[in-house]
Amino acid sequence: MISATILVALSQLSSAPEKGALGKLFQRVRGCVFEVVVSKHHDSGATYAERLPTEDLSFQERNDSVWSIGSAFAVGKDTILTAAHVLELGRDDPFYQPRLRDDKGRVFAIGKLLKYSNHEDFALFTVPGLSVKQPLRPAKKLEVGKTVLAVGNALGEGIVLRDGLLTSQTPESENGEWKFWRFSAAASPGNSGGPLLDAQGGLVGVVLMKSESENLNYALPWSVVSGFKSGVGRYRERSSYSHPAMPDRERVSTMDTTFPLPSTWKELDHQNWILSGLKTARDRDSLLRQEASEFFPRGKSGKLRMIPILQVLPTTIVRGQDGWWVQNVRKSGDPVDLGSNGSWRSSSDEDLMRAAIELPDTTRLSDYVDDSRLLGDLLLKGGRLTRDFAGKEIRVTSLGKAVAESLRVDRWGRPWLVRAWRQPWDGALLVAHLLPQPAGFAALVDVAHGYQLRSYQGKRIEDIADATFCYWAGSAKQWQEWSARPELVPEFMRSLRFDATAKEPRAVWNGGSFQLVPEVARPSEKPYLVVYPDFQDVAKDSVRLGIGAVGITPDATGAKFAMAMRVSPPQADFSPEITQEWRSRLDGRAPFDGTSLDQGNGKRLSMKPVPASLKAARADASGSTPVWMASILLDGAPRQGQLDKALKKTLQAIAVPKESAIIR
């Protein structure tokens, strides 16, 4: 039940009503003013690391079945006016539907929208079953300096009335289409949509917003609402769009359209969602058309196309300020131990969280692919989602089963698991795009509302996934289990096989092969294969994702390894330093001549081009043939002779794969 509290701070002006008159005025007005409420979500299905401290909530929070989100008021017997932003039209969320609650606690559904504009920020609608005896009437005379009263559901704790002065009129900021009233009466969160009255109770306007830095607040004049054409809705949005892979470019545009009314709240809610999504789609398509000649793999992309993407965390490629496409490498946070050699390493930014997940030895990849509850709990163990409850951050340990599951194949032919778990306390979704790997997942994790995922945010996450790259790694058993699920295997990796049963662990793909020789590391029970992708030219301005590097280690620690890596020739506009480095590879000069390179802690690196590959590259007059390099890492401070022997054997163990094409 609403507490009909009156908060008054009467000014000393002669135009201010007496306290007794103010009380009578409030008694008359309170029957015209309503709370706008939404039902609380059914708060069950989640588990937490500790008990929720419900005793720390206020009495009203514990016992009320709704959330109070704003105010509204009657301008007719069954006709209500509020601020458009209070209704949050455009969510297209079946769990969200505003209603009205009067001072007796009765709740009413919204009927038909008669007038609406998100630009002017008002909504006029009917309420079936409502019968207000004395709706508000327009003020007869308005003057700057006169006393005004802001009435509304301040702070969500009941209808209150506060006074101040009508201070000025100020033009709408973009085109000056109308003038706002500014006033000094206090306005708190929840006042939005309530009436601004004169001292006699006449309607001045609709309270819309408060100033951030001073107590001068804004109201839309009643004359703007009354002068707006009946039976018409307006949707206007001016906003900017930037593609996540091109933060250096943005498109600013305006959508301004009208549509016929009346309509139900659900109909208008769905229409606004469609219009918002349509604007974003148009902006995105327009920007991509505008940047088509520079969008990857076009433009300055050759640096990315030279060598494989050798990163531990999922890495997003972006166009830098200088126009070159580069890897946007982020620093990893502290790793999270998942137990039994499982780990979670991640980085976060304003977009979302990126994570590299290695599963515990005691589990299988299929366990998580097929069981969304298990997968969600794994993400929460590493991602550390918290719920703000009574001013305390409570860690969430489970959200139950996913409410949405799908498989999406991106522009490179990589299958992503898409899963969404609902947060029962607010209806938002924990969303994950996961790239299955033999040992775990590369993950992009975000929290968003359903309406966002079905429009701009969903497409944005897909764009980020398309521009995000990572390695595939695992033991022989893990590779075997992963390969047994062909729907999880990217097209360009379907020829890959990892054989650890032989004396020397061996990888085979696209007619080529590579093995770990005993001069690098003695056979072990759990040899580990790591595969890095690269971009391989198939035609002018057309590339495919391919296998760019294959590394084998005796175990998952990587203390010793051998690697075969594909390096593409530089483009004509590359810097002299990069071109010289390429010549050093072709000529077998340091550091590509097998020289020992100190990596610290007694580790030494040594690398050389594969002779057959080097011969083909030297013979290619067009300068387009890549070179395959052999690299080894030994520990224990090996001498040059030991490195030379191990590198020679490794070079002999590489059969260069065919250059095949899958055009995307």
Side-chain angles (χ1 to χ4, degrees), residues 211-268:
S211 298
E212 293 294 332
S213 58
E214 55 184 341
N215 191 32
L216 284 176
N217 307 308
Y218 293 80
L220 181 71
W222 164 249
S223 59
V224 175
V225 178
S226 61
F228 198 88
K229 188 175 180 179
S230 295
V232 172
R234 182 186 188 188
Y235 181 90
R236 190 177 197 279
E237 180 185 351
R238 179 173 175 80
S239 59
S240 63
Y241 171 84
S242 63
H243 193 281
M246 296 185 293
D248 59 324
R249 294 288 188 274
E250 71 173 11
R251 172 177 169 76
V252 179
S253 69
T254 301
M255 172 182 278
D256 196 340
T257 186
T258 59
F259 43 84
L261 294 176
S263 67
T264 65
W265 183 87
K266 281 190 174 181
E267 290 168 344
L268 185 54

Side-chain angles (χ1 to χ4, degrees), residues 58 90 176 244 290 306 407 512 561 605 644 661:
S58 68
Q290 177 184 325
M306 270 197 75
L407 183 73
F561 74 75
L605 178 70
D644 291 344

Side-chain angles (χ1 to χ4, degrees), residues 181-201:
W181 282 116
R182 297 196 72 183
F183 60 95
S184 63
S188 304
N191 264 114
S192 288
L196 183 69
L197 308 176
D198 67 9
Q200 289 71 46

Side-chain angles (χ1 to χ4, degrees), residues 433-463:
H433 285 234
L434 303 116
L435 193 62
Q437 303 167 332
F441 300 94
L444 305 176
V445 186
D446 195 14
V447 174
H449 284 277
Y451 71 94
Q452 296 172 320
L453 294 174
R454 294 192 300 273
S455 56
Y456 66 92
Q457 186 69 4
K459 189 60 184 176
R460 187 171 185 83
I461 296 176
E462 289 181 3
D463 285 338

Side-chain angles (χ1 to χ4, degrees), residues 442-513:
L444 305 176
V445 186
D446 195 14
V447 174
H449 284 277
Y451 71 94
Q452 296 172 320
L453 294 174
R454 294 192 300 273
S455 56
Y456 66 92
Q457 186 69 4
K459 189 60 184 176
R460 187 171 185 83
I461 296 176
E462 289 181 3
D463 285 338
I464 293 173
D466 283 357
T468 298
F469 300 91
C470 59
Y471 65 78
W472 284 259
S475 66
K477 181 180 179 181
Q478 290 171 326
W479 277 95
Q480 184 179 15
E481 291 175 350
W482 178 72
S483 300
R485 300 286 298 258
E487 75 277 15
L488 306 181
V489 181
E491 188 175 350
F492 71 91
M493 294 185 68
R494 288 179 182 168
S495 69
L496 180 68
R497 296 293 180 268
F498 183 32
D499 181 10
T501 60
K503 182 178 179 181
E504 299 174 357
R506 186 168 181 256
V508 180
W509 76 101
N510 293 346
S513 64

